[in-house]
């Protein structure tokens, strides 16, 4: 009996792998097991849905049953995989044991949780799935849609925190952002670009508490009182935690599969276990500079998944290709100040050089006329393609 190609996870990584594989092979049985409903949605829309007045139902682009039928997939939704046996080539699930020919881990990432003191610490919400968004959306709309007296505190001024701040403030809520850095998007932007973003969001009445962290959350009547590391307190109706994600390596680790910051894969997307593959937010891609060395990195964005799914489908089809990433700038969805960022490769020496306000290049001393990374803001974002062409294919 031929066992199916088994995929764990119905996010972009899981479904895109099926799409790419079906282009090469219409017949091999595929089973997709997922803890959620399996509906297809574009996760980036979670952080600009309020401005577009879209709730969770409107974000589903293809219902699970439709996509499963179209792609000829046996879908086991609301089913959790609890263990992998890579020797027996089986997985244990909440619905029993399943055997596989090949196994794809597309289990995504989990929100990082920081320990908070106080009797309402568990009230901090994270939004990393359609189900999370459903809870957040319901809590907010129950308090009054777009009501300026509804106070939302966001922990984290990274990409997701800033996108939510823009979306929610634009939808009329009173938004405060708290971050230990002294500026938003500190890990991605040069300081003057951060200041531009900070001012643009302040123009939407976003309040900033920078250089501070939330230490405690306590309930006071219907509200939450946040105590910050600088001694200040602030009152909020909702607390959103956007302090980052960590690759979900739990299943792989328990099965003895090599993991570092993510599930370690080579350029064919193979893990350390035969017939087990990984991609998406759960994976750590091999470094081009030193294949096999522990210098790969996670790339929790859409474009790397599209490239990886194509290569993985070829590997699964028996016609392996090698994963090479083209330059993939990230568009930050802050309409108050549109931003395109292409950070330099890790370890790249150099510094940010402002060409004009709105255009920064990461330049090295030996090649100052070449951008190893760039950041564009406002109208300068239209130069994105021109700058991408200048850059060589980036090593992961
Ligand atoms: P996920 O979508 O997290 O899917 C993981 C799947 O695995 C889920 O179906 C889950 O149920 C399932 N699963 C996990 N464990 C198990 C188990 N044990 N058993 C069964 N099923 C399991 N990227 C961009 O490039 N541009 C953007 O503008 C952008 N905006 C974003 C905005 C937000 C708010 C967020 C959160 C992310 C954003 N990203 C953006 C990142 C991008 O959306 C992700 O990189 C991508 O969606 C990850 O897809 P994935 O399939 O790897 O993981």
């Amino acid at each position: 009996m031929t066992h199916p190609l088994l995929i764990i996870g119905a996010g972009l990584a899981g479904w895109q792998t099926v799409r790419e594989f079906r282009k090469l092979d219409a017949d091999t049985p595929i089973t997709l097991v997922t803890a959620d409903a399996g509906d297809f949605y574009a996760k980036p829309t979670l952080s600009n849905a309020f401005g577009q007045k879209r709730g969770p139902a409107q974000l589903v682009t293809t219902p699970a049953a439709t996509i499963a039928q179209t792609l000829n997939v046996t879908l086991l939704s609301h089913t959790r995989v609890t263990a992998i046996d890579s020797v027996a080539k089986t997985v244990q699930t909440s619905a029993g044991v399943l055997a596989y020919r090949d196994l794809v881990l597309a289990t995504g990432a989990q929100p990082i949780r920081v320990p908070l003191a106080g009797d309402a610490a568990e009230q901090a919400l994270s939004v990393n799935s359609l189900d999370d968004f459903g809870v957040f959306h319901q809590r907010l709309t129950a308090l009054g849609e777009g009501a300026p007296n509804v106070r939302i505190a966001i922990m984290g001024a990274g990409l997701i925190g800033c996108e939510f701040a823009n979306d929610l403030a634009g939808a009329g809520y009173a938004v405060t952002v708290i971050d230990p850095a002294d500026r938003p998007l500190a890990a991605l932007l040069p300081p003057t670009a951060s200041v531009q973003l900070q001012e643009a969001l302040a123009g939407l009445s976003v309040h900033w508490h920078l250089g501070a962290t939330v230490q405690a959350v306590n309930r006071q009547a219907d509200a939450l009182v946040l105590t910050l590391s600088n001694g200040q307190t602030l009152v909020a109706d909702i607390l959103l935690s956007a302090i980052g994600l960590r690759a979900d390596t739990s299943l792989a680790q328990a099965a003895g599969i090599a993991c570092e910051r993510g599930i370690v894969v080579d350029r064919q997307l193979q893990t350390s276990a035969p017939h087990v593959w990984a991609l998406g937010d759960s994976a750590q891609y091999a470094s081009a500079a030193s294949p096999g060395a522990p210098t790969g990195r996670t790339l929790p964005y859409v474009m790397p998944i599209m490239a990886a799914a194509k290569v993985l489908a070829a590997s699964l089809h028996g016609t392996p290709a090698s994963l090479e990433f083209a330059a993939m700038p990230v568009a930050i969805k802050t309409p108050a100040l549109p931003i395109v960022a292409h950070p330099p490769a890790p370890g790249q020496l150099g510094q940010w050089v402002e060409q004009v306000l709105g255009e920064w290049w990461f330049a090295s001393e030996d090649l100052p006329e070449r951008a190893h990374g760039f950041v564009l803001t406002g109208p300068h974002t239209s130069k994105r393609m021109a700058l991408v062409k200048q850059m060589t294919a980036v090593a992961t």
Side-chain angles (χ1 to χ4, degrees):
M1 181 188 165
T2 314
H3 293 306
L5 165 58
L6 189 70
I7 297 177
I8 310 174
L12 180 66
W15 280 126
Q16 191 61 19
T17 301
V18 178
R19 279 196 195 97
E20 292 293 346
F21 184 74
R22 279 290 180 243
K23 290 181 192 167
L24 306 173
D25 179 331
D27 303 319
T28 295
I30 302 178
T31 298
L32 193 146
V33 187
T34 188
D36 56 20
D39 294 324
F40 187 76
Y41 72 103
K43 193 182 276 194
T45 57
L46 298 181
S47 51
N48 63 7
F50 277 92
Q52 298 171 2
K53 296 197 180 306
R54 296 207 285 168
Q58 287 87 47
L59 297 183
V60 173
T61 51
T62 319
T66 309
I67 192 166
Q69 190 184 17
T70 310
L71 294 171
N72 184 21
V73 167
T74 302
L75 176 67
L76 301 180
S77 57
H78 301 296
T79 306
R80 184 165 282 280
V81 175
T82 51
I84 298 166
D85 184 336
S86 64
V87 177
K89 292 175 75 180
T90 58
V91 296
Q92 177 74 50
T93 79
S94 49
V97 175
L98 301 171
Y100 61 80
R101 184 203 85 179
D102 284 275
L103 177 66
V104 175
L105 305 176
T107 47
Q110 290 293 331
I112 295 170
R113 307 221 173 268
V114 281
L116 296 172
D119 61 17
E122 81 294 345
Q123 291 293 316
L125 300 175
S126 301
V127 177
N128 183 40
S129 68
L130 197 55
D131 290 344
D132 293 344
F133 180 75
V135 172
F136 182 58
H137 188 266
Q138 193 186 25
R139 292 268 288 270
L140 263 181
T141 42
L143 288 165
E145 207 165 318
N149 57 335
V150 174
R151 298 152 297 187
I152 304 172
I154 300 178
M155 286 195 287
L159 187 143
I160 291 174
C162 287
E163 289 188 353
F164 271 113
N166 196 147
D167 193 40
L168 294 164
Y173 294 105
V175 176
T176 299
V177 183
I178 307 121
D179 194 284
D182 62 356
R183 58 192 178 89
L185 280 173
L188 212 54
L189 303 185
T192 41
S194 288
V195 169
Q196 265 199 313
L197 177 63
Q198 186 177 341
E199 287 173 353
L201 292 180
L204 291 179
S205 301
V206 170
H207 289 276
W208 296 96
H209 280 270
L210 297 168
T213 55
V214 177
Q215 303 278 291
V217 187
N218 285 287
R219 181 157 291 287
Q220 196 174 78
D222 286 337
L224 302 171
V225 178
L226 276 51
T227 307
L228 306 188
S229 53
N230 58 14
Q232 294 185 355
T233 56
L234 61 101
V235 182
D237 300 294
I238 299 262
L239 174 59
L240 181 66
S241 175
I243 55 175
L245 300 171
R246 189 173 288 134
D248 188 344
T249 59
S250 50
L251 277 176
Q253 246 172 337
I257 295 169
C259 296
E260 289 171 4
R261 285 178 299 281
I263 305 167
V264 174
V265 292
D266 64 16
R267 300 215 144 242
Q268 282 70 48
L269 286 315
Q270 168 125 36
T271 69
S272 63
H275 297 284
V276 183
W277 314 79
L279 82 167
D281 284 9
S282 60
Q284 177 180 317
Y285 299 107
S287 159
S290 48
T295 49
R297 59 170 160 152
T298 55
L299 288 169
Y301 302 108
V302 166
M303 292 312 289
I305 292 177
M306 305 306 276
K310 225 181 174 66
V311 170
L312 176 53
S315 294
L316 294 168
H317 183 56
T319 49
S322 186
L323 183 62
E324 301 293 341
F325 289 116
M328 293 179 296
V330 179
I332 297 156
K333 303 185 296 295
T334 44
L337 181 74
I339 302 175
V340 174
H342 190 310
Q348 173 65 53
L349 296 178
Q351 59 180 352
W352 287 109
V353 177
E354 187 172 301
Q355 308 293 316
V356 288
L357 184 64
E359 179 175 345
W360 295 260
W361 290 15
F362 194 87
S364 61
E365 251 175 44
D366 48 332
L367 270 178
E369 72 289 353
R370 186 175 196 103
H372 294 279
F374 62 83
V375 167
L376 303 168
T377 63
H380 295 269
T381 51
S382 63
K383 297 179 197 159
R384 166 196 179 129
M385 287 319 291
L387 275 166
V388 162
K389 279 191 193 136
Q390 274 205 25
M391 299 196 48
T392 49
V394 280
T396 58

